[in-house]
Amino acid sequence: MYGDNLSFEHKKFNSMDFGSYGLGSTMLLAGNPVMRTNTAINWGLQSLELSMGTQINPQQRTGHIDQISKIEREELIRLAKLNRINLSLHSSHHCPAGGQGNQISENARLNAIREHKKVIDFADQIGRSMKQKHIPVTIHSVEQIPGNPDPQNLVYAVNKETGGLKTFEKKDVTYPKEHLISMGLKPGKDFLETKNRGVYTVLPEGFLKMENRETQESLEHARAMASYHSDLYEQQILGMINTNKEELRSERGRARILEEARRNRMSDLIQSLHNYEVHKKREKRTRADLTNLERKYTDKYGQLKMFDKTDNFAKEKAKKSFIELGMEAYNKPSKPMIVIEQFSPDHALGNPKQTAELVKDVRRGLTNELVKKKGLSRNRARKEANNIIGMNYDIGHANMWKKYGKTDKEILNEIDEIYPIVKYVHISDNFGDHDTHLPTGWGNAPVNEAMKKLKKKGWKGRPMLETWGVPEYGANAFGVSQSLYGLNANLVQGGANWEMAGGTYFETGYSFTTGPILPDINFQTYGAGFSGLPYSTGAQIGGRRPGEQFSGTPMS
């Protein structure tokens, strides 16, 4: 029997406890994952997000899901159980929309689904072992596909047929105004007049419209050219034998002409008939292909849109992938929860509101699939979809919109629109330009303000530190301690203890952040010290030999 909430909840916590999950931190499972996890547990946090690597390197363990053995997975779960740690997973950086290099590939999308399903399977193993339902699995909404945070100056578009990417930049042109209008551009919206007579500034979306119009004209030209060679051979045949177009264009008529040509040994006519047949078949295929393209990419207004902004195309592709991943999660006994994270502004769907819309679309699509394929009532299907699909709001990524002019106020106002679907939060700091994953307080991200606003909204979910961007100081461990300072927590009160101070948005005691101190399970298993832990976990006291169980001078 699985609980809807984590089995390690502490009911004594007040409404500030964010669902009683406690503050946590992310940790990459590279190298020795068991040792790294045990070290992270010793930081004293109550939740850990195990982050998967993307690439497989036979010479070095990168944390890819396929490089984590069965034994290691079981040991990770055992460590979490013993120390009452709430686990979640961060899946690999494979793009659900199929982003790969300079194109959007269907093969890459399908490969991403396969990779993410492996992580969902691991999450289910954790859930089944720990009797917990809805273990969170973070997946980025989009990877490797550029977005359009500054459409007045630059727009990335995709050829929806080939997946190839193309850029459109604002530029001055000397086209006649009438020509721009004939291409579907609107004055004041798609192009602007300049001080120079006859010079116009075409905005990126204006060039995108021109590209689609030119593509439509190219298709029309291709249709006209499709019959060019067959028409030539048709005229040639009509000049060589007494016949007409109607007879020549019918199979029975061509058969009669061919029979007469063979009887009269007219080799040139026989060759022309052969060429005519070949080009007629080619013309038929070409016309069918052109018709299919037009039908596929013509909008309701009759305009061909072969090219579209990357955000729109990526959203449809990602939606399709996440619905399939949602069905995969639903079919698992513990039903892991997929939390879709907005990436940086320079990626498609990097705006939190765009990712929120994707989450809503995926929930609707998954609801329909559960009704259709599982026979659930619509209300039950909607509830299941809402439990399985949610949003991971990344404060650090949101702060990066400052380089495109957003203020703290605008960033915080977005929370009003997205908070109902947010089930998970990534916390890190930066200066608004790069995703540096600094400890909170080291940059200018409105972390405290964002968390206070979520608290005011009654948010229940997991706050997770992603503050590993200071490797010279100790990466994650240092990032965690510094972030607690940044979150107005007094870490040093008469000594090096992590006693949370009142008056912050947490307003809780030590165990909110760190979990129970030395759980009794550990005492029962290992005694009061760390010396009994296996050496492989990295918990040995410095200077002690493996296998020694006691401190002090050895007895002779």
Side-chain angles (χ1 to χ4, degrees), residues 88-291:
S88 58
L89 301 179
H90 193 311
S91 193
S92 58
H93 291 262
H94 291 88
C95 179
Q100 185 178 53
N102 292 321
Q103 66 173 358
I104 300 175
S105 160
E106 181 65 9
N107 285 336
R109 188 185 74 83
L110 296 176
N111 181 63
I113 291 174
R114 286 192 293 271
E115 293 294 329
H116 293 310
K117 282 183 178 181
K118 296 175 187 177
V119 181
I120 290 172
D121 188 61
F122 184 24
D124 179 59
Q125 181 184 352
I126 295 171
R128 286 184 286 109
S129 297
M130 302 181 76
K131 300 299 181 186
Q132 297 172 12
K133 207 171 182 181
H134 304 315
I135 296 293
V137 177
T138 289
I139 303 176
H140 286 164
S141 58
V142 167
E143 298 264 3
Q144 302 182 51
I145 300 176
N148 296 295
D150 187 19
Q152 291 298 307
N153 292 297
L154 176 68
V155 161
Y156 283 93
V158 57
N159 183 320
K160 294 190 285 188
E161 182 64 19
T162 67
L165 302 181
K166 191 166 184 174
T167 58
F168 299 97
E169 297 183 58
K170 180 174 69 174
K171 188 168 63 175
D172 289 346
V173 300
T174 56
Y175 301 140
K177 184 176 183 179
E178 294 74 19
H179 172 71
L180 296 174
I181 294 174
S182 71
M183 296 293 285
L185 277 65
K186 296 180 179 179
K189 181 180 179 182
D190 299 316
F191 70 93
L192 309 171
E193 294 190 13
T194 67
K195 294 180 180 180
N196 299 320
R197 185 181 178 86
V199 178
Y200 300 94
T201 300
V202 178
L203 300 178
E205 293 200 38
F207 281 116
L208 176 57
K209 286 184 178 181
M210 292 175 69
E211 186 73 22
N212 279 318
R213 179 59 65 90
E214 289 170 0
T215 302
Q216 187 167 14
E217 292 174 355
S218 296
L219 293 182
E220 291 169 357
H221 178 70
R223 176 175 280 105
M225 292 299 295
S227 61
Y228 176 77
H229 289 97
S230 54
D231 287 346
L232 284 179
Y233 286 112
E234 185 177 86
Q235 293 300 319
Q236 192 178 76
I237 293 168
L238 290 174
M240 298 171 71
I241 193 171
N242 184 23
T243 184
N244 55 56
K245 291 183 180 180
E246 288 72 22
E247 184 179 31
L248 180 58
R249 291 175 181 176
S250 69
E251 290 188 16
R252 180 175 295 180
R254 288 197 299 277
R256 186 199 69 75
I257 295 171
L258 179 60
E259 182 181 354
E260 182 177 340
R262 286 172 175 168
R263 186 170 57 249
N264 296 319
R265 298 181 179 180
M266 301 171 68
S267 58
D268 289 346
L269 178 57
I270 293 172
Q271 184 62 47
S272 293
L273 281 167
H274 172 73
N275 292 338
Y276 179 79
E277 288 274 3
V278 169
H279 286 286
K280 268 297 181 183
K281 290 179 181 178
R282 187 174 298 168
E283 175 190 347
K284 185 177 180 180
R285 287 197 302 271
T286 299
R287 288 182 179 277
D289 290 343
L290 293 171
T291 299

Side-chain angles (χ1 to χ4, degrees), residues 431-451:
F431 286 98
D433 277 318
H434 303 286
D435 192 18
T436 47
H437 288 273
L438 297 174
T440 60
W442 281 41
N444 60 21
V447 176
N448 272 300
E449 295 84 351
M451 297 304 292

Side-chain angles (χ1 to χ4, degrees), residues 340 354-364 389-391 421:
I340 304 174
Q354 289 176 311
T355 296
E357 285 303 314
L358 170 64
V359 170
K360 293 174 185 176
D361 285 352
V362 173
R363 283 180 168 182
R364 284 190 285 266
I389 302 294
M391 180 175 173
I421 62 171

Side-chain angles (χ1 to χ4, degrees), residues 145-156 309-311 344-351 354 400-401 403-406:
I145 300 176
N148 296 295
D150 187 19
Q152 291 298 307
N153 292 297
L154 176 68
V155 161
Y156 283 93
K309 289 193 288 188
T310 50
D311 298 278
S344 67
D346 297 312
H347 290 80
L349 308 184
N351 188 310
Q354 289 176 311
M400 291 172 66
W401 279 92
K403 65 181 173 181
Y404 295 107
K406 278 191 180 180

